[in-house]
Amino acid sequence: MLTKAEKPSLEMPAARRLPSFPLTVDTVILTILEGELKVVLVKRLDEPFAGLWALPGGFVHEKESLESAARRELREATGAQDVYLEQLYTFGEPQRDTRGRVVSVAYVALVAADRCPLTPHRLEAEARWFSVYELPAMAFDHREMLDTALSRVRTKLEYTTLGFQLMPATFTLKELQSSYEIVLHRSLDKRNFRRRLKLLDLVEAVGEKRAEGPGRPAMLYRFKDVDFLHLREKGFFLPF
Amino acid sequence: MLTKAEKPSLEMPAARRLPSFPLTVDTVILTILEGELKVVLVKRLDEPFAGLWALPGGFVHEKESLESAARRELREATGAQDVYLEQLYTFGEPQRDTRGRVVSVAYVALVAADRCPLTPHRLEAEARWFSVYELPAMAFDHREMLDTALSRVRTKLEYTTLGFQLMPATFTLKELQSSYEIVLHRSLDKRNFRRRLKLLDLVEAVGEKRAEGPGRPAMLYRFKDVDFLHLREKGFFLPF
DNA sequence: CCAATAGTGTCTTTCAGACAGTATTAT
DNA sequence: ATAATACTGTCTGAAAGACACTATTGG
């Protein structure tokens, strides 16, 4: 564990050892699937809370950064790589894990629907997408983590380009608006939504979509390479 | 360290022990003093970085929550209690501490100028208030922590009642505006500032202030018990 | 031509930003 | 009366919110 460095070592200073704690990362992985905001949960096989559902997470390795650990969990749970990942909050109540004290650094990830393996799975445990409005009983303080994540994402959606992360490469404006509505859990006015998109100069048309059902086909759009300074002037930010 | 619980224990599951890490909390303690935004730094006596200045911090005890640990550090560094304290970010790069891997949970505290002991001191080390614009070389990644804290505080100042925390119980509108200007590091228009205060219904007059210098004396104000729902309607929030 | 969905423009209100003069006090 | 500081009101432009009709397609 601690490197036996030449000069000062964490083992030396006091006669007694420093208290140290196992560290975990837990990731709140969100996507939009089937018109709903969904989160990945895995079924626990081991105690404590065996049989309950939990956020994908695991212990931080010796020489791994926190974000690397979170990305590792993300990859194991969904196969997704290079997706948006943000540190959320650190949960460290002494009693939060019944086995002993474990501190957990929670992360949020947003993945685009088209980059999610349809059924994420790990070797160790069953994993499923759950609607954030139809959640099973959850282990540890994972429900609190999820609530914190939703609150963070909803706030940031309004003044950052975070929403991009949930979309496939091309999409219709209707689909984009739906995503916002699903995350924010309220309806938006179509004209006002589009007016604002135009004002912020966030998207550009790429072609026409063949209609899937009846009715006029919608234009396809993609996100433009955003001009950070331009956005800031309008009180809009990148999500990091 | 880990409780030897009856059933599952963190020592059991695998044959090899789980990696575990010493955890520290570091607190960015901000106040307004002498017309400047200041932060408490303590001079390090021990390696690593002996002689450099650092944020007040220390190891998390066995059975202490993270916030308790931060409050303990806050109390040791300044004597302040019952002040605003918010978790900021967790810094966990494997190489951030040269002694070995230490993960640090950073907190921000805002203290009112009249609640700061004039010269904070600890037994172990010299402590001083530094202007955030005239900083000495700092240990570890503490400079990054401070920058993160400033960014957080500035953002929250604009849409929360966080600014309250920097003020004494009563104050003039001029003083309040000065505090905002000092934190935000830009000047504000007096009339627009007051208009907004009135709109949000944040303060109430309590009497008159005896003039200290020449000129018309200013009214004294205090913060009202804020109506959370009312604020939310106006896009304003409590700071937690 | 009908059903279904995509796309667009205007009015009103609110709020932020820029800006200058009056009021009260001590000397 | 003068100097110093406190206090206040208006105009303008930008953006948000509310709201209804036209356009394009397949059947």
Side-chain angles (χ1 to χ4, degrees), chain B residues 84 86-87 108 110 149-163 180 183-184 236-240:
Chain B
Y84 182 77
E86 171 182 328
Q87 188 185 303
V108 206
L110 293 188
L150 291 177
S151 167
R152 171 83 60 94
V153 168
R154 285 180 179 135
T155 304
K156 280 205 161 184
L157 198 63
E158 311 239 25
Y159 69 97
T160 70
T161 57
L162 193 60
Y180 272 74
V183 175
L184 296 175
F236 220 68
F237 300 85
L238 296 177
F240 35 81

Side-chain angles (χ1 to χ4, degrees), chain A residues 2-3 10 18-23 59-66 87 89-90 92-94 99 101-103, chain B residues 2 10 18-23 59-66 87 89-90 92-94 99 101-103:
Chain A
L2 298 174
T3 59
L10 280 175
L18 286 168
S20 65
F21 311 98
L23 252 195
F59 291 96
V60 176
H61 297 345
E62 299 262 343
K63 297 188 174 171
E64 178 185 51
S65 74
L66 300 175
Q87 188 185 304
Y89 197 81
T90 297
E93 289 302 310
R99 292 168 295 186
R101 186 163 188 184
V102 177
V103 171
Chain B
L2 299 175
L10 282 175
L18 287 168
S20 64
F21 311 97
L23 251 195
F59 290 97
V60 176
H61 297 346
E62 300 260 343
K63 297 187 176 173
E64 179 185 49
S65 72
L66 300 175
Q87 188 185 303
Y89 197 80
T90 298
E93 289 301 311
R99 292 168 294 185
R101 186 163 186 183
V102 177
V103 171

Side-chain angles (χ1 to χ4, degrees), chain B residues 40-161:
Chain B
V40 180
L41 297 180
V42 296
K43 195 173 219 166
R44 287 186 61 83
L45 298 177
D46 302 322
E47 293 297 336
F49 300 110
L52 286 196
W53 295 84
L55 296 171
F59 290 97
V60 176
H61 297 346
E62 300 260 343
K63 297 187 176 173
E64 179 185 49
S65 72
L66 300 175
E67 179 170 327
S68 304
R71 288 202 182 275
R72 179 169 50 73
E73 291 300 327
L74 179 58
R75 201 172 340 111
E76 287 175 12
T78 71
Q81 305 204 26
D82 301 321
V83 297
Y84 182 77
L85 183 71
E86 171 182 328
Q87 188 185 303
L88 182 62
Y89 197 80
T90 298
F91 295 80
E93 289 301 311
Q95 301 304 331
R96 58 176 294 281
D97 190 319
T98 52
R99 292 168 294 185
R101 186 163 186 183
V102 177
V103 171
S104 180
V105 183
Y107 279 78
V108 206
L110 293 188
V111 300
D114 69 343
R115 304 182 71 177
C116 301
L118 298 183
T119 325
H121 60 268
R122 318 168 98 199
L123 295 176
E124 315 100 275
E126 186 185 356
R128 275 189 47 200
W129 291 104
F130 284 87
S131 159
V132 298
Y133 302 109
E134 295 164 21
L135 292 167
M138 289 168 71
F140 305 106
D141 45 8
H142 287 193
R143 179 57 193 264
E144 187 184 352
M145 290 180 183
L146 174 57
D147 289 341
T148 306
L150 291 177
S151 167
R152 171 83 60 94
V153 168
R154 285 180 179 135
T155 304
K156 280 205 161 184
L157 198 63
E158 311 239 25
Y159 69 97
T160 70
T161 57

Side-chain angles (χ1 to χ4, degrees), chain B residues 32-36 38:
Chain B
I32 290 174
L33 213 59
E34 299 159 1
E36 292 187 313
K38 303 214 172 186

Side-chain angles (χ1 to χ4, degrees), chain B residues 190-205:
Chain B
K190 180 169 33 167
R191 287 158 292 185
N192 296 342
F193 181 79
R194 291 174 184 221
R195 187 217 290 150
R196 187 154 162 77
L197 273 181
K198 186 174 289 184
L199 176 73
L200 293 170
D201 198 28
L202 291 178
V203 298
E204 61 191 0

